Amino acid sequence: DARVTQTPRHKVTEMGQEVTMRCQPILGHNTVFWYRQTMMQGLELLAYFRNRAPLDDSGMPKDRFSAEMPDATLATLKIQPSEPRDSAVYFCASGRTENSNQPQHFGDGTRLSIL
Amino acid sequence: AQKITQTQPGMFVQEKEAVTLDCTYDTSDQSYGLFWYKQPSSGEMIFLIYQGSYDEQNATEGRYSLNFQKARKSANLVISASQLGDSAMYFCAMREGPGNQFYFGTGTSLTVIP
């Protein structure tokens, strides 16, 4: 089965460091979503791309977070500089827009710990 | 207003019994889709079942069924014959039309008791 691939699976780093998370959406999917999941806030939408164009990044702290899709096979989420409060699981999901019945398919997530 | 509301933070069910997880939604669109996802303790998000706003029949997928009541704007997940492996977080989600973002509820933690 086709899967959304996220790297790295785990990341531990010190505050102030740059963190880059990568996502390879399922081939043929034209929407990509980035989510952050914490115990306190639950699942939060950070950014959303359709056909590689950013449509909504209102959930993302603009001063330190950035999301891009340099090509159809790669989406990136960067945090610079990182802070302990950024510790969370970051999920990427992809989907197709042709029909509203298409679900998002999630990657396994990147578990980020900022010390 | 919340787009998706899940009012049960935690639920318990005896193994082999059926359980209903509640979900209500808020939209003024005529065309939308409703989804349920399962997140076991291992962390992955697994798509379970879909219901379209124009579908007249309730969706079913194996032991999962979706009790869709459009007038009440509810889309409850029914799990029949619960198994220990059903213990997980369950998220209800909605998409208003193709290509649009998904709205997720806060989730319900289900524990199946042997």
Side-chain angles (χ1 to χ4, degrees):
Chain A
D1 283 344
R3 294 176 59 85
V4 175
T5 302
Q6 287 188 251
T7 56
R9 290 293 312 277
H10 303 274
K11 176 75 174 179
V12 180
T13 191
E14 293 184 345
M15 65 178 293
Q17 297 297 306
E18 177 178 301
V19 174
T20 299
M21 291 169 273
R22 293 178 172 80
C23 169
Q24 181 177 8
I26 292 173
L27 188 65
H29 283 190
N30 63 339
T31 57
V32 171
F33 304 80
W34 282 104
Y35 294 92
R36 176 170 62 186
Q37 187 176 37
T38 61
M39 289 293 292
M40 293 299 294
Q41 300 296 327
L43 200 60
E44 303 172 274
L45 177 68
L46 296 176
Y48 162 42
F49 292 80
R50 187 195 306 162
N51 296 325
R52 295 175 55 202
L55 289 191
D56 186 354
D57 61 1
S58 58
M60 198 165 65
K62 300 293 190 304
D63 56 338
R64 299 183 299 108
F65 283 63
S66 62
E68 295 179 346
M69 275 202 78
D71 61 61
T73 64
L74 177 64
T76 61
L77 180 66
K78 290 186 181 180
I79 309 174
Q80 170 61 23
S82 57
E83 297 180 1
R85 59 181 167 148
D86 301 330
S87 298
V89 179
Y90 291 81
F91 285 104
C92 174
S94 72
R96 291 164 55 182
T97 60
E98 287 76 15
N99 298 303
S100 61
N101 66 349
Q102 295 292 325
Q104 294 180 78
H105 295 272
F106 282 76
D108 289 337
T110 293
R111 190 172 296 274
L112 178 64
S113 295
I114 308 297
L115 306 177
Chain B
Q2 293 288 329
K3 287 283 189 181
I4 295 288
T5 302
Q6 294 181 255
T7 57
Q8 307 154 312
M11 290 281 287
F12 292 86
V13 64
Q14 203 73 37
E15 194 177 6
K16 300 180 185 176
E17 297 292 312
V19 63
T20 298
L21 307 183
D22 294 343
C23 172
T24 56
Y25 59 92
D26 180 32
T27 182
S28 55
D29 284 12
Q30 296 300 308
S31 175
Y32 53 89
L34 298 157
F35 305 80
W36 278 92
Y37 287 82
K38 172 184 179 182
Q39 187 177 38
S41 58
S42 50
E44 69 268 33
M45 292 282 280
I46 303 166
F47 165 67
L48 294 178
I49 194 167
Y50 162 82
Q51 179 82 43
S53 57
Y54 294 119
D55 294 341
E56 295 185 354
Q57 300 282 340
N58 285 341
T60 60
E61 288 287 346
R63 294 186 299 110
Y64 304 110
S65 60
L66 202 153
N67 184 359
F68 181 46
Q69 298 187 45
K70 195 170 183 176
R72 299 179 62 180
K73 293 188 175 178
S74 74
N76 299 337
L77 177 70
V78 180
I79 305 175
S80 63
S82 298
Q83 302 172 356
L84 296 178
D86 294 334
S87 294
M89 282 289 287
Y90 289 81
F91 291 93
C92 179
M94 176 179 68
R95 182 165 73 178
E96 294 169 317
N100 293 325
Q101 68 163 293
F102 282 66
Y103 298 95
F104 281 84
T106 52
T108 295
S109 176
L110 176 67
T111 302
V112 180
I113 304 167

